[in-house]
Amino acid sequence: MRPVYVLSGGVSKFAKARPDKTFQAIVKEAFDASIADLGLEPRQAIELLDGSVASYFSDHFQRQLMSGIMAQDYLGLVPKPSHRVEGGGATGGLCFQEGWKSVASGDMDVCIAYGFETMSHVQTWKGNEFIALASDVSFDYPVGGFYSGYYAMMVTRHMKEFGTTVEQMATVSVKNHRNALYNPYAQKRMALTVEDVRKSPMVAWPLTRLDICTMSDGAAAVWLASEEGLARVEKATGKRLPRVKVAGIGRGTDAMRMADRPHVDYETFYRKYALPIEDTDEGRAYYRDLWNKGFRYPGVHSFRAGRTASAQACKRAGIADPMAELDFVELHDAYTSSEIQTYEDMGLCRYGEGGPLAIDGRTFLPGIDYGLTLSKPSTTPVNPSGGLIACGHPVGATGLMQAVFALWQLQHTIPQHFGDTRLQVPNARRGAIHSHAGTGTYVSVSILEREDGGAA
Amino acid sequence: MSGHDKVPVDETLEGAVVFNVPFPSDLKGLDQMAPIIIKHPYYVDYIHSYGQDSPFFAGLANKRLMGTKCTACGHAFATPRKACMECGAECAWVELPQQARVHAFTVCHFGSEEFLPDCPFVLAQVEFEGFDTLFLTRIQGLDPTAPSLDWIGMKVGARFRRLSRLKPTDVWFEPL
Ligand SMILES: [Zn+2]
């Protein structure tokens, strides 16, 4: 495998509906932004790119098969190689990794990964039906297919196991919406209180409307390149680009039906799922105590795929302690509850400690007033962009949007791109992006790292 | 074709949705045109086979709850699957008890379009003695306006539709 660099990215404005453009033209918006950021003309970009990977989630939303090729020809990239990637909510994250593979394998020197979704083609409740078709249509969908309901079930078990509270979940919503106030790309930019979140209409107990991301129309695009490709792009631009490398990728899977997930014992957990940082006397005593209280893993309260994806990515990136060694994380907060669950899966804390971590301040940005009393200083901001909850979730674009925001963090160009310095993580050198499908069926984690100097 | 009369087109109002779409006299104005948005119906009847899972649905029609058990490792699936997820061996059909406990739940106040008329309803994963995995079902007989974490662990019993619709909603559970 060759080293792979992330060179540039572009994001369209995410909105509830974009009737002003068809999906290809929205992709073109993101594509053109990624080109303009390099200081190139579309004609030069088309010449530099060896091929692409396209991603979108739902053929139902599109009512147009082969949408990938329609984006490819609209961008002027035919007859270059391309393929479409699909993996539910993780579609964008998987697309980023397929782009990485295209370059790491030597198949391409310069590859663009682009993704999109246009979810406004149907009304919200029909859209929920389309999304719920991503659950077993024999056993799950007909019982009351509704993703917010599925996540709500998972979190009631998390609450029962660990004492996680609705206020801890609401605090995630406050943090992410507040961050988005300073992100002009975000769909929902709001200053909220915990009370606002709890008073908002109940969707699936205990999740309210403000605990849940919304549907969006949008697109994102990311350039990936080998060292040769990077040199080729730099020659065309006439300027040196910051060295942002993909330090490691990881993926995991779990059963489509959450009912099928195992409930393993303590020994199996340590043999197959525990992280190196958890393999201490103190860590073992902590988990022994959980198992003695009846805890089993992963059950429906934890995402085993998130754990294995993150463990693989961290191992490849040489990270032993994610909380200490990552400067920020952009993770898949389709629900406030899943942000808390993902803290635990990714090893930002241990299983059972996600609720307290959500409110203590470590996952917040240092320069923002959240209207909350936080007991600890910021260490690893989570979703500094505002995450899915505030930015929107145009599924096929979402994981790529995370890659673009992570790239800008590592380039230290958030102030230029957002027109505000507040969301720039100080001295960001390493960050993770996490993309998640179904009830935790496909999860991808990619770690990006700044190689050269680049003080903020 | 010159010299011939135009063939008259016999148009009816069938399919017409709008009359007199505005159009600018100067073509430069086209880029400022508001998007035209049309409604497009999309209905389909699927022919869905339950395949190897069919005995489960036949069981529901006979007021029996069927799961499977791995013939090699013994892993017992409360939602049936014929291939064992733990070891890959084949699973055999076994009958589930008709009592269970609530493992996790929610109250859906909204839902997919198809289920909106049912809201609010209690959706739950239930666990069975002797089975390693769970089963998704609805719980009737609980007050959806007063949800409580204390529902977790509650004993519930299976109830069956008298006239089967061959859907997993042929069975639901009620507190015992
Ligand atoms: Zn087996």
Side-chain angles (χ1 to χ4, degrees):
Chain A
M1 293 290 177
R2 306 188 291 175
V4 177
Y5 295 91
V6 188
L7 308 194
S8 180
V11 181
S12 77
K13 170 76 183 166
F14 289 0
K16 187 166 174 53
R18 288 288 308 270
D20 59 313
K21 289 185 179 176
T22 63
F23 69 91
Q24 308 99 303
I26 302 173
V27 176
K28 178 94 163 93
E29 236 177 67
F31 180 63
D32 286 350
S34 74
I35 295 168
D37 222 36
L38 287 168
L40 297 172
E41 295 294 325
R43 180 182 43 78
Q44 296 172 285
I46 291 166
E47 207 165 291
L48 286 164
L49 287 162
D50 292 322
S52 72
V53 185
S55 71
Y56 63 101
F57 155 59
S58 178
D59 293 310
H60 285 82
F61 276 110
Q62 282 294 97
R63 203 187 63 82
Q64 167 69 66
L65 301 187
M66 303 282 282
S67 298
I69 192 58
M70 293 173 74
Q72 180 85 348
D73 73 39
Y74 200 85
L75 301 180
L77 292 176
V78 285
K80 296 169 192 281
S82 187
H83 72 284
R84 177 241 181 142
V85 178
E86 188 278 316
T91 296
L94 295 172
C95 181
F96 178 81
Q97 296 192 344
E98 288 305 303
W100 174 86
K101 281 187 194 172
S102 296
V103 174
S105 63
D107 186 44
M108 296 182 196
D109 280 312
V110 187
C111 175
I112 188 154
Y114 58 80
F116 58 92
E117 210 75 41
T118 45
M119 307 176 80
S120 63
H121 294 184
V122 295
Q123 289 182 301
T124 298
W125 305 115
K126 182 56 87 178
N128 273 295
E129 201 174 299
F130 283 179
I131 292 168
L133 290 172
S135 62
D136 188 323
V137 297
S138 290
F139 289 95
D140 288 350
Y141 174 80
V143 184
F146 183 36
Y147 257 89
S148 298
Y150 299 159
Y151 274 81
M153 277 191 289
M154 299 180 106
V155 81
T156 57
R157 190 68 201 185
H158 200 274
M159 293 163 81
K160 186 76 175 178
E161 294 281 352
F162 305 125
T164 311
T165 67
V166 292
E167 289 76 20
Q168 289 167 340
M169 289 182 248
T171 304
V172 171
S173 178
V174 171
K175 167 174 70 70
N176 295 356
H177 282 104
R178 190 69 65 111
N179 288 347
L181 274 181
Y182 312 104
N183 178 355
Y185 291 91
Q187 191 172 332
K188 286 167 70 201
R189 306 167 71 189
M190 301 158 88
L192 298 171
T193 64
V194 167
E195 198 181 25
D196 292 334
V197 179
R198 291 315 300 164
K199 280 190 171 163
S200 124
M202 189 59 70
V203 175
W205 191 85
L207 299 173
T208 73
R209 193 163 284 172
L210 289 172
D211 281 305
I212 303 172
C213 69
T214 54
M215 290 182 217
S216 315
D217 287 0
V222 184
W223 288 58
L224 296 144
S226 64
E227 281 177 72
E228 291 83 348
L230 173 62
R232 206 203 290 168
V233 172
E234 284 186 335
K235 189 157 177 252
T237 61
K239 62 184 181 192
R240 187 185 157 81
L241 295 169
R243 286 338 187 225
V244 176
K245 199 171 92 172
V246 181
I249 69 160
R251 281 188 197 176
T253 59
D254 213 334
M256 176 66 124
R257 300 190 304 227
M258 72 168 107
D260 289 358
R261 312 239 171 115
H263 296 76
V264 307
D265 58 22
Y266 167 86
E267 285 74 22
T268 308
F269 174 76
Y270 261 93
R271 195 171 68 250
K272 292 169 79 170
Y273 306 116
L275 298 175
I277 193 179
E278 291 167 332
D279 198 7
T280 60
D281 288 346
E282 200 261 334
R284 282 179 173 268
Y286 174 86
Y287 279 114
R288 171 59 77 191
D289 187 47
L290 273 188
W291 256 270
N292 286 342
K293 287 178 185 155
F295 175 81
R296 300 290 180 269
Y297 185 80
V300 298
H301 45 72
S302 300
F303 303 118
R304 179 170 55 159
R307 172 53 64 108
T308 54
S310 186
Q312 189 176 51
C314 284
K315 191 174 176 193
R316 288 169 171 175
I319 291 174
D321 181 347
M323 193 67 177
E325 296 173 62
L326 290 170
D327 297 318
F328 67 91
V329 177
E330 288 283 350
L331 64 78
H332 195 95
D333 59 329
Y335 301 90
T336 53
S337 50
S338 51
E339 174 160 327
I340 290 177
Q341 290 160 310
T342 299
Y343 293 159
E344 301 171 349
D345 301 324
M346 292 186 76
L348 301 178
C349 61
R350 293 184 289 215
Y351 283 108
E353 296 176 340
L357 175 58
I359 59 167
D360 74 9
R362 286 179 289 163
T363 60
F364 290 67
L365 278 158
I368 290 177
D369 177 12
Y370 293 93
L372 296 164
T373 309
L374 304 168
S375 62
K376 292 182 180 171
S378 166
T379 59
T380 308
V382 174
N383 288 322
S385 67
L388 281 58
I389 281 202
C391 291
H393 183 19
V395 185
T398 304
L400 294 164
M401 164 197 80
Q402 294 173 324
V404 176
F405 292 156
L407 171 68
W408 293 346
Q409 287 288 0
L410 296 167
Q411 289 176 334
H412 305 137
T413 57
I414 288 285
Q416 292 92 297
H417 286 105
F418 289 176
D420 198 299
T421 57
R422 275 170 282 199
L423 298 186
Q424 176 66 57
V425 175
N427 301 310
R429 297 198 53 83
R430 188 147 65 171
I433 55 174
H434 161 278
S435 196
H436 169 121
T439 54
T441 47
Y442 290 115
V443 181
S444 72
V445 173
S446 305
I447 294 168
L448 278 61
E449 194 171 68
R450 179 73 182 256
E451 251 188 356
D452 52 345
Chain B
M1 295 292 283
S2 61
H4 293 273
D5 289 336
K6 278 188 181 171
V7 179
V9 179
D10 187 19
E11 282 191 300
T12 69
L13 287 180
E14 176 86 22
V17 291
V18 66
F19 303 90
N20 299 325
V21 175
F23 201 80
S25 53
D26 181 353
L27 295 188
K28 289 194 188 83
L30 286 175
D31 281 341
Q32 274 69 55
M33 181 181 276
I36 295 172
I37 304 169
I38 61 163
K39 179 180 157 185
H40 195 297
Y42 184 23
Y43 303 117
V44 63
D45 282 322
Y46 276 93
I47 299 164
H48 180 73
S49 172
Y50 287 128
Q52 76 284 357
D53 298 327
S54 298
F56 169 80
F57 295 91
L60 294 185
N62 289 282
K63 298 186 168 44
R64 295 173 74 172
L65 214 44
M66 302 303 295
T68 59
K69 191 167 183 176
C70 177
T71 52
C73 77
H75 204 80
F77 296 94
T79 310
R81 45 190 310 144
K82 284 294 279 173
C84 177
M85 200 171 74
E86 299 302 312
C87 77
E90 203 183 330
C91 296
W93 289 101
V94 291
E95 191 158 0
L96 288 159
Q98 297 206 351
Q99 288 89 47
R101 281 180 192 277
V102 175
H103 183 84
F105 76 93
T106 182
V107 181
C108 291
H109 293 270
F110 292 95
S112 300
E113 190 171 284
E114 186 177 342
F115 308 110
L116 282 178
D118 303 350
C119 293
F121 60 88
V122 178
L123 195 62
Q125 296 283 349
V126 295
E127 57 188 44
F128 298 84
E129 191 71 38
F131 283 78
D132 298 298
T133 67
L134 307 171
F135 181 73
L136 178 69
T137 191
R138 292 195 195 183
I139 312 275
Q140 308 279 6
L142 287 171
D143 179 2
T145 65
S148 161
L149 285 181
D150 293 337
W151 290 359
I152 293 177
M154 178 186 284
K155 272 192 185 169
V156 289
R159 295 286 307 275
F160 295 85
R161 221 184 255 288
R162 195 166 56 84
L163 299 170
S164 167
R165 295 180 185 175
L166 292 172
K167 296 271 186 171
T169 40
D170 282 355
V171 65
W172 68 92
F173 285 76
E174 289 180 2
L176 286 176

